[in-house]
Amino acid sequence: MTTTESESGIESFFEKIDSCATAPEPTSYACSDVPVTYALELPIPIAVRGSSINYSFSSENGDVAFGIYLRPAANSTNASTEDVEEEEVVPLERVDSNVEPVTGSFLVTEAPCVAVLVWDNNHSWLRSKVLSYSVTVKPPSEEILRKKYLTQLNTSLSNASIDKRQAESRLAKVMASKSEAEATVAKLKQELSNVIAGLGQIEKEETYLRDRMAFRGKQIEGLESRLEAAKAAQKNGSGHLGGGLYEA
């Protein structure tokens, strides 16, 4: 990990921690007289755990089916859209929204996520419905956020302290292994230096012995030639000794 990566990781870490201390403003979604032939979905991003979603809606020209499900935020999972598991909060079923407004609320326990409100008219698509809705997302109170922030700080501090102690323990073992490895390398370097020095002596002796063999080879060749000549001269009663002729 480079220094830049380390600093970036620290900044990202504290940005995530400190984001728990500030509550966003309530968010409202409202629309009137929306035609629904097949289905209508309203995705609502939820940034803070503990937020509550309050909804109210009514329909004209008949009832609709209504349901709510949660899915992870796009940046909170590496899975593809097909692999994302959705959590059903309110099962999709028909409600008498044409008789009286349908109201309700639920608490989001995991964030970030996307809450998707669904109004479905597939059971009666030949008869389009007219929908009016109002949805409000309320973040947790400041007191709840402060408690969660303190809990998050204590938990993160505990986890960081445990991980640091584990790293220190591992570092001690790594440094011991490093010292042992360095001692082994120093020993091997000395042994290699001795072997190289010995190899130099061996090569010198090799050169000397090859020169000696060549010298002796020439001596032997000359002596054998002269010995044959001396034997031949003795047999014939005359000889050629040391390059000169003599009579027996």
Side-chain angles (χ1 to χ4, degrees):
M1 179 181 291
T2 64
T3 302
T4 302
E5 290 173 337
S6 178
E7 291 176 352
S8 174
I10 289 294
E11 291 177 1
S12 175
F13 171 78
F14 283 116
E15 283 178 4
K16 184 177 180 180
I17 292 293
D18 294 339
S19 66
C20 300
T22 305
E25 295 295 324
T27 307
S28 296
Y29 304 81
C31 201
S32 300
D33 302 329
V34 181
V36 180
T37 301
Y38 295 102
L40 173 68
E41 289 190 353
L42 176 64
I44 301 176
I46 308 297
V48 181
R49 182 176 59 182
S51 298
S52 62
I53 297 180
N54 302 301
Y55 59 87
S56 175
F57 65 92
S58 60
S59 62
E60 299 177 9
N61 298 333
D63 66 346
V64 294
F66 175 70
I68 303 174
Y69 63 88
L70 300 178
R71 66 175 177 231
N75 61 351
S76 66
T77 179
N78 293 325
S80 64
T81 303
E82 293 78 6
D83 295 332
V84 171
E85 293 186 4
E86 298 173 343
E87 177 188 352
E88 188 178 63
V89 177
V90 176
L92 185 67
E93 55 187 20
R94 294 172 66 175
V95 292
D96 295 328
S97 52
N98 59 319
V99 177
E100 61 180 356
V102 176
T103 61
S105 65
F106 67 93
L107 187 69
V108 180
T109 58
E110 294 295 334
C113 69
V114 177
V116 183
L117 283 69
V118 182
W119 292 273
D120 192 291
N121 190 48
N122 279 286
H123 63 279
S124 180
W125 59 272
L126 290 175
R127 187 180 183 184
S128 181
K129 309 299 167 56
V130 179
L131 178 72
S132 297
Y133 64 80
S134 175
V135 181
T136 303
V137 180
K138 295 182 178 180
S141 66
E142 289 292 339
E143 182 180 356
I144 292 176
L145 280 177
R146 280 195 296 270
K147 289 181 179 179
K148 289 184 176 180
Y149 184 52
L150 289 173
T151 299
Q152 182 67 39
L153 287 175
N154 286 323
T155 300
S156 298
L157 177 59
S158 175
N159 291 339
S161 299
I162 291 172
D163 188 67
K164 183 174 181 289
R165 287 195 297 270
Q166 291 175 343
E168 289 172 346
S169 176
R170 289 183 59 189
L171 178 60
K173 294 178 181 179
V174 167
M175 294 305 295
S177 298
K178 180 183 178 182
S179 297
E180 183 179 347
E182 287 175 342
T184 301
V185 169
K187 181 180 179 181
L188 290 175
K189 283 182 177 180
Q190 184 59 49
E191 291 178 354
L192 179 60
S193 177
N194 295 338
V195 170
I196 292 174
L199 179 61
Q201 293 298 323
I202 292 171
E203 288 175 343
K204 288 181 181 180
E205 187 172 0
E206 177 190 13
T207 300
Y208 165 75
L209 291 174
R210 289 186 183 278
D211 291 343
R212 182 175 174 180
M213 288 172 61
F215 176 75
R216 291 304 184 188
K218 290 179 181 180
Q219 283 184 331
I220 290 170
E221 182 180 355
L223 289 170
E224 287 178 343
S225 175
R226 283 166 173 72
L227 182 60
E228 289 179 1
K231 287 180 179 180
Q234 183 180 17
K235 183 177 180 181
N236 295 327
S238 63
H240 179 272
L241 300 174
L245 297 175
Y246 72 92
E247 293 294 335

